């Protein structure tokens, strides 16, 4: 039987959390949770904020990128807080392959579970860090999809799969920080998901990578000169298979500038749409 967990997720995070413990659920709440191997959990009333910075530094110590001042919160479906949980399962792969860890997102049919997020970022070179600004996401809503992890069929590293359907109320890049004034690029009404033949808004998740059919890979690769570099990629689809088609739709793209105390009119570029996207192959290497 699955057990619903509180936001602290003590067993997963391996940190003490005396204020939150396992909660007993009523029979009606338990009846709404599917009984099978694995674990279900929810993020009811989840909220976090802090000024810690996560920083990646190149092997030679010269360049870096940092993300900090992260804040995130999620609204909830108050009518049935445990009826549509996250699901963590371990799936058996056929033909003696390694097991797959699968995390499935809530279906969120009514769209009541919405995220609000913000973080700052900076880039550095030779000891000098330059503030890049703030990224602010409002009303980020996931509808199903999830993530997979396993070992690669060949080589070392981490194989992954990913599928998603999401809508974003607005995505803002603000070079001057989180103040209401200043310059900003704003994308509004963003929709990402599986493409439909008629070009309408997505109703299902887009599978960007699949552990079994078109695996993603996260590892370190060493070139002929002996330089080791972080590598992220997505393999070609298996023979005879086709990469899944996705769609990206943006209702409005605008630029705001009210620097120097003078409010300038927004530059409104209108909407943008890519009806069908197929990610056949991806190969990204991070160089110092």
């Amino acid at each position: 039987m699955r057990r619903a967990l509180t936001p602290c997720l003590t067993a997963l995070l391996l940190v003490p959390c005396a204020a939150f413990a396992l909660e007993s659920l009523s029979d009606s709440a338990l009846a709404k949770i599917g009984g099978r191997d694995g674990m279900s959990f929810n993020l009811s009333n989840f909220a976090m904020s802090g000024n810690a910075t996560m920083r990646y530094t190149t092997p030679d110590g010269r360049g870096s990128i940092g993300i900090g001042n992260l804040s995130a919160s999620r609204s909830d479906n108050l009518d049935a807080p445990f009826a549509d949980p996250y699901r963590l399962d371990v799936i058996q792969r056929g033909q003696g392959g390694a097991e797959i860890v699968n995390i499935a997102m809530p279906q969120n049919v009514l769209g009541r579970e919405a995220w609000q997020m913000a973080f700052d970022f900076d880039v550095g070179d030779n000891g000098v860090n330059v503030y890049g600004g703030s990224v602010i996401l409002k009303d980020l809503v996931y509808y199903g999809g999830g993530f997979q992890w396993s070992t690669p069929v060949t080589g070392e590293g981490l194989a992954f799969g990913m599928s998603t359907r999401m809508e974003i109320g607005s995505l803002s890049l603000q070079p001057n920080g989180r103040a209401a004034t200043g310059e900003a690029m704003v994308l509004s009404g963003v929709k990402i998901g599986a493409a439909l033949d008629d070009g309408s808004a997505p109703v299902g998740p887009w599978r960007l990578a699949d552990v079994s059919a078109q695996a993603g890979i996260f590892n370190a690769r060493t070139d002929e000169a002996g330089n080791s570099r972080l590598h992220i990629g997505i393999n070609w689809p298996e023979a005879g298979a086709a990469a899944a088609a996705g769609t990206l739709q943006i209702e409005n793209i605008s630029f705001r500038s009210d620097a120097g105390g003078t409010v300038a009119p927004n530059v409104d570029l209108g909407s943008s749409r890519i009806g069908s996207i197929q990610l056949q192959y991806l190969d990204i290497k991070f160089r110092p």
Side-chain angles (χ1 to χ4, degrees):
M1 184 191 310
R2 294 174 178 268
R3 181 76 167 176
L5 303 183
T6 58
C8 63
L9 297 179
T10 307
L12 292 180
L13 298 180
L14 300 178
V15 295
C17 188
F20 299 96
L22 292 173
E23 295 180 356
S24 299
L25 299 180
S26 65
D27 291 340
S28 60
L30 285 172
K32 297 175 181 178
I33 299 177
R36 62 182 184 183
D37 292 338
M39 179 176 69
S40 294
F41 60 95
N42 209 321
L43 297 177
S44 179
N45 299 318
F46 177 89
M48 64 169 290
S49 62
N51 57 6
T53 299
M54 298 177 290
R55 184 171 301 280
Y56 170 76
T57 303
T58 56
D60 62 3
R62 177 173 178 175
S64 69
I65 181 171
I67 295 176
N69 294 326
L70 173 66
S71 63
S73 63
R74 198 198 77 170
S75 60
D76 299 297
N77 182 353
L78 300 179
D79 295 335
F82 294 103
D84 189 16
Y86 293 83
R87 301 191 309 276
L88 172 64
D89 298 283
V90 178
I91 302 173
Q92 298 289 336
R93 189 189 295 186
Q95 301 178 348
E99 295 178 332
I100 299 172
V101 177
N102 184 79
I103 294 183
M105 305 284 281
Q107 295 300 306
N108 197 16
V109 175
L110 300 179
R112 294 182 179 178
E113 296 176 357
W115 288 88
Q116 317 297 327
M117 299 183 185
F119 62 87
D120 299 339
F121 70 97
D122 66 79
V123 293
D125 183 69
N126 201 24
V128 178
N129 290 337
V130 178
Y131 178 66
S134 298
V135 177
I136 302 174
L137 293 96
K138 296 181 179 180
D139 296 328
L140 169 61
V141 181
Y142 291 100
Y143 296 91
F147 303 90
Q148 302 171 319
W149 291 274
S150 188
T151 55
V153 176
T154 59
E156 298 181 350
L158 179 69
F160 68 88
M162 175 182 177
S163 62
T164 187
R165 177 194 163 202
M166 70 172 70
E167 295 183 1
I168 305 173
S170 68
L171 168 60
S172 302
L173 174 59
Q174 301 183 183
N176 298 321
R178 306 184 190 186
T181 59
E183 298 180 340
M185 180 184 73
V186 182
L187 308 181
S188 304
V190 180
K191 297 179 175 64
I192 301 173
L196 297 175
D197 292 338
D198 61 2
S200 56
V203 295
W206 174 25
R207 191 189 72 237
L208 288 86
D210 185 276
V211 167
S212 300
Q214 189 183 12
I217 184 69
F218 180 83
N219 60 6
R221 288 187 175 178
T222 303
D223 60 21
E224 297 177 354
N227 299 313
S228 181
R229 297 187 175 99
L230 186 65
H231 170 253
I232 299 175
I234 295 178
N235 295 329
W236 291 97
E238 290 187 345
T247 183
L248 169 63
Q249 302 177 12
I250 305 174
E251 292 180 0
N252 184 262
I253 303 173
S254 64
F255 293 85
R256 183 188 70 207
S257 178
D258 50 5
T262 302
V263 178
N266 289 348
V267 177
D268 192 335
L269 301 182
S271 63
S272 179
R273 173 177 299 192
I274 302 177
S276 182
I277 311 168
Q278 285 183 293
L279 190 56
Q280 301 287 353
Y281 182 76
L282 179 68
D283 187 40
I284 301 175
K285 297 182 180 71
F286 294 88
R287 300 179 181 238

